[in-house]
Amino acid sequence: MTTDRLQVWRFEPSDVDNLTTLYADPAVMLYEAAGAALRSAFDDHGAACVVATTMAVNRRSRGILETLGFRHTRTVHLDWESPLPGAESGEVIYERERDVNSTSTAHRQDHPAIRPAEQDHEHR
């Protein structure tokens, strides 16, 4: 899957150092690939339903999922060996079914929930 800002490939062991650097950069983490992944699941892979999970306390991710048309279906509580702060609130499960009434199964790439970080700061 490739967009103007995103290229997805299967991780290789040689990617670990680069991923560690990317995940540590707060500016990189402002970009969301959810819309592109949703479009790919429906349009490229023919999925009938997409399931997404995030921590219950992760309001930003939950908002993006809801903006993309996902609905919260349940909350689960998992036992983690080294839980992150907020893990006690659980993991939330969201689902989105294919929109059979539209040729575009996911929101447009320029949807406000997945705009570049510099635009995001302008709207706060």
Side-chain angles (χ1 to χ4, degrees):
M1 174 177 65
T2 303
T3 71
D4 291 341
R5 296 186 321 223
L6 175 71
Q7 182 179 12
V8 177
W9 66 89
R10 185 175 303 277
F11 291 136
E12 300 291 333
S14 60
D15 293 322
V16 170
D17 289 340
N18 289 333
L19 288 173
T20 301
T21 301
L22 287 173
Y23 289 146
D25 184 345
V28 170
M29 300 312 292
L30 288 174
Y31 290 90
E32 293 294 341
L38 182 62
R39 276 189 303 281
S40 180
F42 289 143
D43 297 341
D44 301 335
H45 301 286
C49 181
V50 174
V51 177
T53 66
T54 190
M55 293 179 70
V57 296
N58 191 338
R59 288 284 178 210
R60 187 172 184 148
S61 289
R62 294 181 74 172
I64 290 169
L65 292 173
E66 291 165 4
T67 298
L68 290 172
F70 282 83
R71 63 183 174 81
H72 176 236
T73 57
R74 63 191 174 282
T75 301
V76 296
H77 295 273
L78 305 172
D79 291 323
W80 299 100
E81 187 174 316
S82 300
L84 294 172
E88 67 279 358
S89 297
E91 299 283 318
V92 287
I93 314 296
Y94 281 79
E95 295 181 19
R96 162 90 191 270
E97 294 181 6
R98 174 188 295 275
D99 181 359
V100 295
N101 297 320
S102 171
T103 56
S104 176
T105 56
H107 291 212
R108 297 182 340 208
Q109 183 164 337
D110 62 349
H111 192 282
I114 52 177
R115 66 178 167 257
E118 54 274 8
Q119 290 178 2
D120 188 40
H121 290 291
E122 293 171 8
H123 294 5
R124 286 186 182 174

